[in-house]
Amino acid sequence: MRTSLNRSTWCRRTLTANQPKLHEAMREQARSRPAADFAYECDTGQRNRIEQREVRVWALPPSSGTEPWHDHFHSLVEVRRSTEVFDPSKRGFVARAQAPAYYLSTLSSEVPAAEFACLVRQHWSIENGLHHVLDATMAEDASRIRRNPGVFACLRQFALNLLRANGEHNISQGLWRNALSLERVLNYTGVREQ
C-alpha cells in the first residue's frame, strides 16, 4: 500500500523509556479511551518469519502531554507487533513477544490508521538503511571522538553516500575492498574529475 502523505509532512516523535513521564502519560491515554481508528497488517514468508502488526490511533486533546511543547502533537499512534520466527531445531515457528511502540504525530487523528502504519514502516526503512549502517558498520556509537564529533559524522555520511552512489549495496564489504585499494576509491564517480 502506498501512502499519499509525504514523509516530510509527518512530524513524529518516538516515545521511549528515556522520557518516562511522557511515555506513561501516553500509555494512560491509550488505556483510558477507545482508539479512533485501527489497522491490521500481516507479512508472511519474509526472512523466515510471520509478523503481525496492529496499529491504533487516538486523537490527543490539548494539554495531554507533560510539557507545554507537547501540545503541537495531535495524535497518538500505538503499534503492537507479534512475530513468529522459524526455528529449524524445533521444526516450527517460535513466538517472540515485543512491547508496543508509541509515536506522537502532528498529523490529525483523521488520517487513517493504515496510512500511519505505512509511515511507521517508512520510518523503519530509514532507521535500518541509514542509522543501523552508521552504527554497526562504521561504529558511530562506539566513537570516542569528543572534539568536533560533527565533522566526523559528516565524513561518515559522505563516505556512505559515496559508496551508495557508486553502486555498493553491502557497505561492510565495500569498505573492506576500498581499504585494500586506494586506487579503487579514487576511481569512484564524484571523488576527482575524470
Side-chain angles (χ1 to χ4, degrees), residues 53-156:
R53 289 178 296 283
E54 297 176 357
V55 179
R56 292 179 175 84
V57 179
W58 289 267
L60 287 177
S63 303
S64 58
T66 57
E67 300 288 333
W69 63 270
H70 298 155
D71 287 342
H72 73 277
F73 292 113
H74 301 294
S75 53
L76 169 67
V77 180
E78 176 191 64
V79 180
R80 290 185 180 269
R81 294 176 186 87
S82 62
T83 307
E84 296 177 45
V85 179
F86 186 76
D87 186 354
S89 64
K90 296 180 180 176
R91 295 186 178 146
F93 285 91
V94 177
R96 288 187 183 168
Q98 294 178 323
Y102 293 97
Y103 301 89
L104 292 174
S105 174
T106 56
L107 294 177
S108 166
S109 63
E110 295 172 5
V111 173
E115 292 206 31
F116 273 116
C118 188
L119 290 169
V120 169
R121 296 285 288 171
Q122 288 175 352
H123 161 72
W124 282 106
S125 69
I126 294 168
E127 179 68 32
N128 293 335
L130 177 64
H131 300 293
H132 178 72
V133 171
L134 288 172
D135 184 30
T137 306
M138 297 188 172
E140 186 172 57
D141 286 350
S143 174
R144 304 289 297 158
I145 298 169
R146 297 295 178 253
R147 290 190 181 186
N148 299 325
V151 172
F152 286 93
C154 286
L155 289 173
R156 284 187 205 97

Side-chain angles (χ1 to χ4, degrees), residues 31-52:
R31 282 192 293 255
S32 64
R33 296 185 300 132
D37 196 14
F38 172 81
Y40 172 80
E41 292 181 336
C42 183
D43 291 335
T44 56
Q46 294 181 353
R47 296 185 296 260
N48 287 334
R49 67 182 185 182
I50 300 169
E51 183 174 285
Q52 300 177 59

